[in-house]
Amino acid sequence: MHKQLGFTLIELVVTVVIVAALLLTSASLTNSWIDRSQVASAKANFETALLQAKTLALRNHNNQPFSEPAVSLCVDSNDDKINIIQLGINAANPCDIVGNALLKSFSIAKGIAITQGNSPVECLTVNALGMLMYPLGSSCINNFTLAFNIEKNNES
């Protein structure tokens, strides 16, 4: 009887096919996990930024009246950042850094869009009482009555 010293070609091909199938499956699962973690990170950064914006608005360093926004939270989709901006007196644009002071920035992953309903969220403003408000003539939102979504590759 002849003793076999190696693997047959069929055994090697079957092994390569099984390993390739496992690699393809794990790669698609890994992408999904990465997307979910990026969405969770963006959501956590947004919530942290909103809490910090409310805290800074309550401090009211510029002595803004309660009827005016003291701090704005702006989503910059071009730079993938969430900016907290302390507003100057009679600030025309709550997301413009000129005439206002950039207090802090939070990064979000590239390709994540923060939306309310079907509209992108550009900015939120907070008055010196720590309440969300809607300044006239701006694109800011003042409530969250609609669903708040952060989307990337159908993850939300």
Side-chain angles (χ1 to χ4, degrees):
M1 184 135 183
H2 185 5
K3 198 173 201 183
Q4 182 179 357
L5 297 176
F7 297 106
T8 65
L9 183 60
I10 293 175
E11 290 171 334
L12 289 174
V13 168
V14 168
T15 304
V16 168
V17 167
I18 290 172
V19 168
L22 289 173
L23 285 174
L24 287 174
T25 303
S26 66
S28 65
L29 289 175
T30 303
N31 286 338
S32 177
W33 291 332
I34 290 171
D35 289 347
R36 274 189 249 141
S37 71
Q38 288 176 339
V39 168
S41 175
K43 183 179 178 195
N45 283 347
F46 188 88
E47 290 171 350
T48 301
L50 182 57
L51 287 174
Q52 286 190 10
K54 286 182 176 185
T55 302
L56 292 165
L58 287 169
R59 291 182 185 161
N60 198 11
H61 290 293
N62 283 348
N63 295 321
Q64 294 279 55
F66 297 142
S67 60
E68 296 292 322
V71 174
S72 67
L73 180 75
C74 302
V75 178
D76 186 353
S77 57
N78 295 330
D79 290 338
D80 299 315
K81 292 193 180 292
I82 301 169
N83 297 321
I84 300 175
I85 299 172
Q86 183 174 3
L87 301 175
I89 302 295
N90 297 323
N93 183 351
C95 285
D96 190 7
I97 298 175
V98 176
N100 300 317
L102 176 64
L103 299 176
K104 190 158 187 173
S105 287
F106 293 85
S107 295
I108 55 177
K110 189 165 183 65
I112 289 187
I114 301 174
T115 60
Q116 182 183 34
N118 293 328
S119 303
V121 173
E122 295 175 5
C123 91
L124 298 165
T125 57
V126 183
N127 67 6
L129 296 172
M131 296 172 35
L132 291 174
M133 65 176 302
Y134 184 77
L136 294 174
S138 77
S139 60
C140 294
I141 61 172
N142 70 337
N143 63 44
F144 289 109
T145 56
L146 300 175
F148 182 75
N149 300 315
I150 300 175
E151 298 179 359
K152 181 177 187 256
N153 296 338
N154 298 321
E155 298 288 338
S156 62

